[in-house]
Amino acid sequence: MKWLILVALFGLSAAQHNPHMKHGRTSIVHLFEWKWSDIAAECERYLGPNGFGGVQISPPTEHIILGNPVWRAWYQRYQPIGYNLCSRSGNEAQLRDMITRCNNVGVNIYVDVVINHMCGSGGGEGTHSSCGSWFSATREDFPSVPYSNLDFNDHKCKTGSGEIENYGDKYQVRDCRLVGLLDLALEKDYVRGKVAGFMNKLIDMGVAGFRVDACKHMWPGDLQNVYGRLHNLNTKWFSGGSRPFIYQEVIDLGGEAISAGEYTGLGRVTEFKYSAKIGNVIRKWSGEKLSYTKNWGEGWGFMANGNALVFVDNHDNQRGHGAGGASVLTFWDPRMYKMATAYMLAHPYGVTRVMSSFRWDRHFVNGKDVNDWMGPPAYSDGSTKPVPINPDSTCGDNWVCEHRWRQIKNMVIFRNVVNGQPHSNWWDNQSNQVAFGRGNRGFIVFNNDDWTLDVTLNTGMPGGTYCDVISGQKENGRCTGKQITVGGDGRAHFKISNSDQDPFVAIHADSNCKDVV
Ligand code: QV4
Ligand code: CA
């Protein structure tokens, strides 16, 4: 009996670690602040054809509107005022249409859910919400759910201010307000039911899972209860008995009362050490070198591979929020950013998430970006602009679309092609030139030193001519960029100047343009 319960529990939690991607796909792209109609179109015209496994969408729930009419910080969407599926990205019908159209081209949808709190205590009252539902932050009254003051943690929090004052005290971190956000009493059956209810509605609409916001601020037992109430995925698109994929936002860089390990039994967890460290390695800060990444992954003190969700940057740390440090690489440093993202996508560790950002008027005053609040490209009435696609397939109107950069898109494909293959044929120069393969399916070489790389390496790949997918790609059977010849013995010569536009080269089984005869 005991054994059966253990099997059942393990089966349940291990299942929630599986992203259920289709056709051997492996990566998620976070289309931060995109509208549902744009995401639907992007699934059909770009993500499906280029092998992206899924999209993380911004919170779809009704949220407060900050500023009138145009202030509208991006982070207003992390202040829900109810669970109507109506947000700055679109209404419920548009959301449903997007989920259907993305699923139909094999691209999963993962929903960012904000269940730790409602809006900030200073949110006032009225109908300044994304769909006009009335609410009162002052009285903790959210009739569209409904929640009342009985559904919040005020009685449980023991700090004088009602705020989290000390991250060394796990009771404060979980029972008090995070930056003034009204903290939900997830210990209550009623609250758990309301939260699970809206997540189940999304599951039934066809989403594949959830990015769960602010998990550090919720008790693992409460989350386990909520997750336990979730339906299996919709069998229109997923096989019977599939559990929703769960990845939990817990920022654990060490040294706090709460660790990521408290949550890994329930689902995957965001590995923030990965983001911080890869920035240091590529920037060559803190004495880091690429050659030290021979044992990248668990060897670096990251959580177990099967528990990790990894990324170079996220929507917080790219702008100095949530553990954002100067080392974090973003699209603002494109050359290094492409290297870091390619390294992540080539390496077998973790489920990978690629960031897709909007540009804002970054403006540092005393080392702090005073415009870190700026919302997505918008019209003068504050509504979000659509994403226009240029003839060269880049995006316009300040949508950065990192996921469309050739080097990043091609590495998303690389990861699919080498899926399941071991990390192999490591080489380094004891400095910042490294290379590794993925079995006999792919090989990548980086030169992050200040001199030329010129070396012959064992790639593990079958003999043939391969197109480098960084300087170009294979088009109509020919290479638009560099070409690499692998001999019958698997060896190939690589020459990468430190002044190349992108100082790295990647080849894979599907970039083969001529077999050795
Ligand atoms: C302000 C004061 C408070 C005061 C309060 C009174 O700072 O001291 O008590 O007013 O009402 C915004 C403002 C913040 C403001 C708050 C409430 O920036 O100054 O408090 O609203 O009005 C995002 C942003 C936050 C933003 C929040 C809500 O990053 O700046 O707060 O949305 O709009 C920790 C957590 C981690 C978290 C990370 C940022 O452990 O979970 O901080 N990351 C997630 C999301 C993140 C989001 C939240 C959690 C909250 O990824 O985007 O915060 O949902 O590390
Ligand atoms: Ca809490």
Side-chain angles (χ1 to χ4, degrees), residues 74-76 78-79 114 117 120-122 163 167 178-181 211 213-214 216-217 249 251 315-316 321-322:
W74 62 269
Y75 55 68
Q76 64 185 11
Y78 290 90
Q79 301 195 27
V114 183
H117 52 263
S121 58
E163 296 274 323
Y167 273 78
L178 164 66
V179 292
L181 299 163
R211 179 252 186 202
D213 183 68
K216 183 191 286 181
H217 307 282
E249 188 225 13
I251 304 180
H315 71 281
D316 283 327
H321 287 232

Side-chain angles (χ1 to χ4, degrees), residues 86-286:
C86 184
S87 67
R88 188 168 191 181
S89 286
N91 61 27
E92 183 173 330
Q94 291 161 329
L95 179 70
R96 187 181 294 277
D97 179 62
M98 172 197 78
I99 295 167
T100 301
R101 287 165 61 191
C102 290
N103 276 332
N104 285 347
V105 293
V107 180
N108 292 345
I109 298 294
Y110 304 102
V111 181
D112 196 350
V113 288
V114 183
I115 60 178
N116 172 65
H117 52 263
M118 302 299 278
C119 66
S121 58
E125 66 179 33
T127 54
H128 49 295
S129 55
S130 48
C131 290
S133 297
W134 185 90
F135 68 96
S136 170
T138 327
R139 283 183 277 153
E140 298 184 328
D141 187 9
F142 298 90
S144 79
V145 182
Y147 286 142
S148 74
N149 63 325
L150 300 174
D151 299 315
F152 293 87
N153 269 335
D154 307 278
H155 63 290
K156 261 186 118 184
C157 170
K158 300 283 182 275
T159 63
S161 63
E163 296 274 323
I164 300 167
E165 295 172 359
N166 172 11
Y167 273 78
D169 175 350
K170 64 180 180 186
Y171 295 94
Q172 288 189 24
V173 175
R174 287 165 172 158
D175 297 336
C176 298
R177 293 176 181 173
L178 164 66
V179 292
L181 299 163
L182 300 175
D183 204 57
L184 281 167
L186 270 170
E187 68 186 2
K188 287 185 67 177
D189 187 69
Y190 176 77
V191 175
R192 292 169 172 180
K194 286 294 173 190
V195 166
F198 100 82
M199 291 172 76
N200 275 331
K201 181 170 179 180
L202 290 161
I203 289 174
D204 296 347
M205 287 166 81
V207 309
F210 303 96
R211 179 252 186 202
V212 185
D213 183 68
C215 285
K216 183 191 286 181
H217 307 282
M218 297 181 279
W219 293 95
D222 292 343
L223 288 173
Q224 185 172 15
N225 182 288
V226 169
Y227 302 160
R229 296 175 188 229
L230 298 181
H231 297 167
N232 288 335
L233 300 184
N234 188 326
T235 52
K236 183 165 181 206
W237 293 291
F238 302 93
S239 48
S242 299
R243 295 299 296 156
F245 179 47
I246 302 277
Y247 57 108
Q248 305 163 99
E249 188 225 13
V250 179
I251 304 180
D252 176 7
L253 296 171
E256 279 182 28
I258 294 165
S259 69
E262 295 176 49
Y263 298 84
T264 47
L266 304 174
R268 288 195 184 240
V269 175
T270 50
E271 180 49 281
F272 275 81
K273 290 175 186 159
Y274 194 108
S275 170
K277 293 287 183 191
I278 203 160
N280 272 328
V281 168
I282 300 294
R283 290 181 188 275
K284 302 185 259 187
W285 286 3
S286 306

Side-chain angles (χ1 to χ4, degrees), residues 36-48:
W36 308 149
S37 51
D38 283 318
I39 295 177
E42 189 70 351
C43 282
E44 292 170 343
R45 71 191 166 203
Y46 198 84
L47 303 177

